């Protein structure tokens, strides 16, 4: 049996619902053999996930999903096999989280002007100890009964042009790739099909990404349709990039896809794990 890889998933350390340990147990129960925990801008869930992985006999890849601004757009760069003890990475992510909190306060002010008081406090309560994301605002507005589900909250309040949207400067693309690479990790463009870049910008992104040391793109992800698997497999080949696969799981009932059910990478792809020593003999 080939190994079941899921190299993109979230815990309650960012906007997922399950704790790191519960996420690992859940993945193991769903047949995943190799799981990457890739919380947004935060790596503090990795030790607990690692301990749980040993107990559940699955391999845990230390990961992160870094928010990046490129050409005024937000992109996500996943780092796989990063070193959670790397100080430069820890420090840079801590700064991103401080700025993320300031952005959340501004989002709260925008929503207050639209007649929704105390949204920052509400979102912060739901985020508990974790980073604060638009998802927490969405959950709070649903809790208030203002909107029926988080998807509708995004549409009505949290995207460009809406009262809770704040233009934000995330990390620079080059810095994110270098931090990941210098901590021993592999940089991967998350869900490239989601950015609506147009073909010229997509080609420029792939070119720049590679020139800064980026290694792979997600080809199979819950954000892509099967024709997009083929489209991005072709682009990966064209740019000599490896291919990754991940569910981008956020928790039971709120994810596009169940864990452990990813399609295989198209056969012309070079898997991102191809030269990871621990899987050499097991493919
Ligand atoms: P943030 O990093 O705070 O901007 O939050 C981004 C997160 O919001 C993403 O990682 C997704 O989990 C979630 N998200 C983005 N767009 C939507 C949407 N249209 N509907 C539901 N969730 C979304
Ligand atoms: Mn998310
Ligand atoms: Mn993402
Ligand atoms: Mn994600």
């Amino acid at each position: 049996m080939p190994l079941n890889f899921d190299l993109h998933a979230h815990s309650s350390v960012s906007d997922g619902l399950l704790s790191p340990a519960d996420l690992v147990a859940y993945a193991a129960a769903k047949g995943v053999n190799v799981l990457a925990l890739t919380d947004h801008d935060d790596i503090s869930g990795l030790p607990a996930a690692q301990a749980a992985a040993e107990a559940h006999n699955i391999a845990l890849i230390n990961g992160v999903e870094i928010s990046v601004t490129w050409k005024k757009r937000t992109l996500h760069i996943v780092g796989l096999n990063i070193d959670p003890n790397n100080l430069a990475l820890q420090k840079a992510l801590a700064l991103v989280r401080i700025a993320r909190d300031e952005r959340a306060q501004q989002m709260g002010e925008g929503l207050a002007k639209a007649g929704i008081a105390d949204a920052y406090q509400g979102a912060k309560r739901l985020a508990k100890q974790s980073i604060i994301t638009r998802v927490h605002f969405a959950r709070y507005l649903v809790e208030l009964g203002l909107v029926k589900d988080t998807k509708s909250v995004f549409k009505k309040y949290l995207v460009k042009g809406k009262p809770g949207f704040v233009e934000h400067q995330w990390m620079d693309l080059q810095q994110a790739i270098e931090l990941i690479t210098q901590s021993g990790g592999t940089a991967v463009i998350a869900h490239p099909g989601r950015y609506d870049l147009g073909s010229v910008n997509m080609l420029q992104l792939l070119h720049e990404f590679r020139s800064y040391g980026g290694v792979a793109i997600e080809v199979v992800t819950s954000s892509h349709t099967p024709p997009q698997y083929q489209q991005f497999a072709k682009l990966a080949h064209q740019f000599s990039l490896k291919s990754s696969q991940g569910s981008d799981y956020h928790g039971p009932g709120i994810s596009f896809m169940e864990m452990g059910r990813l399609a295989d990478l198209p056969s012309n792809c070079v898997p991102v794990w191809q030269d990871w020593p621990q899987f050499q003999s097991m493919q």
Side-chain angles (χ1 to χ4, degrees):
M1 274 275 280
L3 292 173
N4 186 328
F5 284 81
D6 187 336
L7 300 178
H8 187 152
H10 296 271
S11 76
S12 54
V13 160
S14 61
D15 55 354
L17 291 178
L18 302 176
S19 70
D22 288 350
L23 176 78
V24 167
Y26 189 82
K30 295 291 176 184
V32 172
N33 304 114
V34 184
L35 175 74
L37 175 61
T38 56
D39 276 309
H40 298 286
D41 307 316
D42 199 325
I43 52 180
S44 63
L46 295 173
Q50 200 64 256
E54 280 157 35
H56 291 278
N57 198 27
I58 82 173
L60 194 275
I61 302 294
N62 288 317
V64 64
E65 182 174 19
I66 303 182
S67 311
V68 157
T69 299
W70 184 77
K71 289 195 160 196
K72 299 201 170 146
R73 293 171 170 87
T74 302
L75 309 179
H76 287 169
I77 303 297
V78 160
L80 299 174
N81 282 316
I82 50 119
D83 172 5
N85 298 314
N86 183 277
L87 279 181
L89 181 62
Q90 285 177 357
K91 279 187 187 162
L93 293 178
L95 291 178
V96 174
R97 293 194 295 272
I98 290 169
R100 190 182 254 290
D101 201 79
E102 289 165 2
R103 165 204 191 225
Q105 292 177 37
Q106 290 167 14
M107 287 172 63
E109 288 161 19
L111 289 167
K113 283 185 193 141
I116 305 167
D118 300 329
Y120 171 77
Q121 288 76 5
K124 191 93 183 154
R125 172 173 56 77
L126 293 177
K128 300 193 180 108
Q129 304 302 313
S130 84
I131 63 160
I132 185 162
T133 73
R134 283 186 292 163
V135 174
H136 299 105
F137 280 89
R139 288 180 193 150
Y140 178 62
L141 266 57
V142 171
E143 187 186 283
L144 286 179
L146 283 172
V147 197
K148 67 173 179 349
D149 55 29
T150 58
K151 212 181 157 122
S152 314
V153 185
F154 269 85
K155 246 193 198 153
K156 213 169 154 192
Y157 291 103
L158 301 177
V159 294
K160 212 179 182 113
K162 303 297 173 183
F165 184 80
V166 171
E167 284 290 349
H168 188 70
Q169 184 67 38
W170 297 105
M171 199 185 285
D172 181 67
L173 176 66
Q174 182 171 8
Q175 190 193 356
I177 296 168
E178 287 178 0
L179 280 168
I180 289 168
T181 309
Q182 284 164 14
S183 83
T186 297
V188 182
I189 300 179
H191 41 65
R194 251 188 29 201
Y195 304 129
D196 209 13
L197 287 178
S199 59
V200 172
N201 275 328
M202 180 57 74
L203 296 180
Q204 191 186 340
L205 171 64
L206 294 173
H207 176 80
E208 274 189 39
F209 174 73
R210 200 167 182 279
S211 74
Y212 299 142
V215 168
I217 62 174
E218 287 183 351
V219 168
V220 171
T221 140
S222 60
S223 299
H224 288 173
T225 60
Q228 284 178 310
Y229 302 162
Q230 301 304 327
Q231 180 194 342
F232 287 102
K234 211 169 146 188
L235 282 170
H237 182 74
Q238 192 181 330
F239 283 83
S240 303
L241 291 163
K242 292 178 178 160
S243 299
S244 189
Q245 60 181 52
S247 62
D248 205 357
Y249 192 73
H250 281 72
I254 61 160
S255 293
F256 297 125
M257 192 187 263
E258 185 52 276
M259 275 201 145
R261 305 271 174 83
L262 288 169
D264 291 337
L265 288 174
S267 56
N268 56 340
C269 290
V270 179
V272 66
W273 58 85
Q274 191 201 37
D275 55 2
W276 292 355
Q278 67 271 44
F279 305 118
Q280 285 292 299
S281 58
M282 300 166 71
Q283 286 169 47

